[in-house]
Amino acid sequence: MTMAEAALDLTLLALADPTRRRVVDLLRERPRRAGELAEAFGASPPAMSRHLKVLRQRGLVEEERSEEDARCRVYRLRPEPFRDLSAWLEEIESFWSDQLDSFKTHAEKRTGGRKR
């Protein structure tokens, strides 16, 4: 397994959890504080902290500490893992597009190009 494949596996594993996918959706809008994320889900701060830890370890989010209050952490998405995921999905889509084009060509040959 290549490093890129391993990274993709970790990304998909992290995104397999519905709460973490919803966190990503919220962070797409703008960076948010951990407490704000917990509140948005009605989750306890420790529960949200566990989800954010997984996202951070997988490289999907990064945290920034406020200069005014070192206890306050703001989370934002990192674009790289999502670009890698998008590239992989484009490869899959291309495969299916090629398969459908081949099927269309085959079907048109069998029917002599007639449309029904």
Side-chain angles (χ1 to χ4, degrees):
M1 177 180 293
T2 68
M3 287 190 53
E5 290 170 330
L8 181 61
D9 287 351
L10 292 175
T11 296
L12 291 170
L13 185 61
L15 295 175
D17 183 277
T19 299
R20 290 193 286 268
R21 286 194 308 274
R22 290 180 20 220
V23 167
V24 167
D25 285 340
L26 283 176
L27 292 177
R28 280 186 8 217
E29 296 171 7
R30 64 180 169 79
R32 296 177 189 259
R33 292 179 292 104
E36 185 180 355
L37 290 166
E39 187 176 305
F41 292 103
S44 68
M48 183 53 62
S49 178
R50 286 189 294 275
H51 286 295
L52 290 168
K53 180 180 179 182
V54 170
L55 292 170
R56 195 176 60 252
Q57 287 175 335
R58 303 303 189 250
L60 299 172
V61 301
E62 59 189 7
E63 72 178 21
E64 183 178 291
R65 294 183 189 246
S66 169
E67 290 180 12
E68 297 88 39
D69 183 357
R71 294 172 298 163
C72 179
R73 296 176 184 164
V74 176
Y75 290 85
R76 71 182 77 252
L77 293 178
R78 293 186 65 243
E80 300 85 4
F82 294 98
R83 278 191 225 124
D84 294 343
L85 178 59
S86 180
W88 179 75
L89 290 170
E90 286 174 15
E91 289 175 20
I92 299 299
E93 183 180 354
S94 175
F95 167 79
W96 285 110
S97 292
D98 292 346
Q99 293 295 310
L100 289 172
D101 287 344
S102 293
F103 177 73
K104 179 182 175 190
T105 300
H106 173 74
E108 287 173 347
K109 283 181 186 176
R110 291 194 44 100
T111 62
R114 296 186 311 258
K115 294 191 178 195
R116 294 186 170 185

